[in-house]
Amino acid sequence: MSKLPLIVVLSISLPVFAAELPADPLNSPAWSTIAGRYFKGQPVVFDARVKVTAPASAEDPLDVPVQISAEGLADVQEMLVVADLNPIQKILSYEPLHAAPSLAFRFKVEQSTPIRAAARTRDGVWHLGGVWLSAAGGGCTTPSYGSADPVWQTRLNEVRGRLWPADGRGTQRLRLRVIHPMDTGLANGIPAFYIDRIVLSDAKGLTLARLNTFEPISENPVLSFDLNGSGAVRVVGGDIQGNQFSAEITP
Amino acid sequence: MSRWRWLAALAAAVASTLASAAGFDYQLQPRKVADGVYALIGKTENFSRENGGNIVNTGFIIGRDGVIVIDSGPSKAYGEQQRAAIARVTDKPIVQLLLTHAHPDHVFGNQAYPGIPIASLPATAVTLTQSGDALLGNLYRLVGDAMRDTEVRLPNAAAADGAFSMAGRKLRLMAARGHTDGDLMVFDEASRTLFAGDLVFFERTPTTPNADLPHWLSTLDSLDSLDFAVLVPGHGPVLHDHAGIAQTRDYLRWLRDGLQGAARRGLDMPEVLQLPVPERFQQLAVLKTEYERSVTHLYPAYELDTLPTIPRSKPK
């Protein structure tokens, strides 16, 4: 870790293209695969301003809490979160249109892995940060609780949520919990079934943020957004089978 | 390398392989805590290959005609060495094993007690029936070779709250909950020794994977009036006062209030993991790890309390 600041300084000044990948500070065995799959032909830098906060060890492989943040980085267009060694690597992509470049979520982990957040700025450069997570694993191939309990079917896409006012932070916090099994398709005999999109907008219809979620997101997703402005937020989302949900969260 | 040095190196390698094949040596030393009452004090660490899972306190009480064992430790090897350690203290037969609760560091030495009644609260038996294999698998992963040949052995008798005379010794079994949904405490009337199980930790951060904090706190309150001379906590040094009860209560209250407050402020779990822990808890062993685990275990319920259900509306 002591080498990190040096790498960051060099990388910020010299965005490196896929042909000459920067060395991975996390020393992941899958770094070149990840780079080829998600950042091919695009400039990539490791940047200490992109932070991933997670426990060192996954107490519950079905529900690992993670926060990503690119505070201090201007003009973040899109954020991408991947876990290198998960059978399904891509966890989410996020467009914080009128929101802080930060997001908290929980995901299922199959084995110890780096978790990376990448933030793409307006100049097209991907800024990467990440941490290693130690895990006993099995999170992605374990059946959801919902798949064994038909009760969820009557509560599918039920939304709980609340807004916390800005209080000097400049953003208001939206927390959401949606009932959904978020089946990965990797548990025997249970097909993939997950929420794949959530769009947040304000009372005037202005889109504040767009989130695309994938199989690794935990069952009954809990999400925290930091949104610009104040006032009611409309949440609209849906899953890969076309079920939709919407909710109006008022302060 | 000369031929002789090569052979010497080979001999050393063979010797060390043989030593490890002989199994993990827990070096258990029974400590007399009262007349006829002994405790085996484990380390205040997390599970590791180095400690073989011996992070737990077990004990035994010598009655007129036999020995009552309290908890069997993390592995078959521990149980066997526990029996050997007891045999070094007394030649009376072991007549009863009591399990305080279903956590793996307390129950996986059961295999060393074939033919001996193993009693637990019903909730403990249910948990071990449902989750014993998963708990055991996890311990193999964390502890490794010291777990060799360890299998789940379920309790075969039900313990219940109340007086319990065994081997000519008067005990009081106290059924409670909070650390898990079945926590058995064993009180020896003659010596006024309380084996508190994991309801009391001392100088070691409490663990909460199956905890119910309100129940745990009220159980601790009920211990305030108990007149004991010795208290053997589930983890940490033996006590002669209420300091372990007070410390466990202080930490659990702080945890409850901290998590509830964080949820009301709208924090998400990774932010809660970063919150400072007060100075007075810094001397507790494995604080950071256990705090992180507790946030994972307990925070979801507190945060859900702060998130009202939103009435369904039609998508636009």
Side-chain angles (χ1 to χ4, degrees), chain B residues 7-63:
Chain B
L7 277 173
L10 183 67
V14 168
S16 93
T17 307
L18 287 175
S20 75
F24 189 90
D25 183 1
Y26 286 98
Q27 302 188 326
L28 299 179
Q29 304 287 348
R31 212 189 111 194
K32 188 172 182 174
V33 299
D35 197 24
V37 183
Y38 292 79
L40 299 152
I41 304 298
K43 296 193 161 67
T44 53
E45 299 174 355
N46 287 313
F47 292 117
S48 71
R49 281 160 199 263
E50 292 69 32
N51 63 36
N54 182 17
I55 60 165
V56 62
N57 298 341
T58 65
F60 58 95
I61 300 171
I62 303 171

Side-chain angles (χ1 to χ4, degrees), chain B residues 35-107:
Chain B
D35 197 24
V37 183
Y38 292 79
L40 299 152
I41 304 298
K43 296 193 161 67
T44 53
E45 299 174 355
N46 287 313
F47 292 117
S48 71
R49 281 160 199 263
E50 292 69 32
N51 63 36
N54 182 17
I55 60 165
V56 62
N57 298 341
T58 65
F60 58 95
I61 300 171
I62 303 171
R64 191 185 61 223
D65 332 302
V67 181
I68 301 123
V69 181
I70 296 146
D71 284 342
S72 61
S75 65
K76 178 173 183 268
Y78 182 101
E80 289 166 351
Q81 291 171 39
Q82 183 188 39
R83 281 196 83 153
I86 294 168
R88 292 199 299 272
V89 175
T90 176
D91 54 9
K92 288 179 184 170
I94 292 165
V95 294
Q96 178 74 54
L97 171 60
L98 295 169
L99 303 179
T100 57
H101 64 294
H103 282 165
D105 42 338
H106 297 261
V107 298

